[in-house]
Amino acid sequence: MVIRVTEPKGQDMRRKLVVGNWKMNGSRAANAELLAALKATGPWIAEVALCAPMPYLADVALSLQGDAMAWGAQDCSAFDSGAYTGEVSAAMLAEFGCRYVLNGHSERRAMHAEGDQLVADKAKAALAHRLTPIVCVGETLAEREAGQTDAVVKRQLSAVIHTLGHCISQIVVAYEPVWAIGTGKTASPEQAQAVHALLRAQLKAATEHAGDMKILYGGSVKADNAAALFAQADIDGGLIGGASLKAADFAAICRAAG
Ligand code: PEP
């Protein structure tokens, strides 16, 4: 099997980006069906990428050859190689033509005890191999109710800014309030925009390219709420979990980003 490795492109000046996060779902047959349906529906005006579970990445890469959709992984190691059983390095992903990698998804922060510095180190490893890290930040319900949203997301992003230095401009940020992920509760467009504006301001203090960086919203985005979220000034697309598993729903969200 020969997989063409494409050169990663720079960030496309705030063209909307919609990323599907399949999480630990799928099968070879179900993935083939989903990919065929999406390929038949696209391309979209927005850039679209799919983050699949590790064992399926080679299948996805092969299926998407010649298609406008990109693909990515849901995590990578902070290390290049060595005694890290179960880990997959950014170098390995890059060898297959991977474009994006999620770092610091809240499910990994919560279930795998990934702290801010580890997430930043993973993003650094990804960039070193010319992958684009999509760094996820977001507060829990308890943190929101305690009025800590701003402090939490700023702390999470700050670790990445300090670790990447001027390379911070090469990442994508995803604001994903933990209380909205997989719960059916979405942040209102105004709630999301307020946090996105805060993150943009923090990036502006770190890089002159902040205005060109993409900040995605994630958390129960559906076909019927996507357009209002994507219309906000600092929301540059979405990170889509559950709805990315159904071709018609995901395609509608991609269209809403156009
Ligand atoms: C996610 O997994 O990143 C996510 C946003 O999930 P959902 O869309 O299902 O809330």
Side-chain angles (χ1 to χ4, degrees), residues 19 21-23 102 105-107 136 176 180-185 217-222 239-244:
V19 180
N21 173 18
W22 291 357
K23 311 195 193 209
L102 304 182
H105 189 282
S106 63
E107 287 153 14
C136 305
E176 297 209 304
I181 297 181
T183 59
K185 290 184 194 144
Y217 170 79
S220 298
V221 177
K222 305 278 181 250
L239 180 53
I240 318 299
S244 71

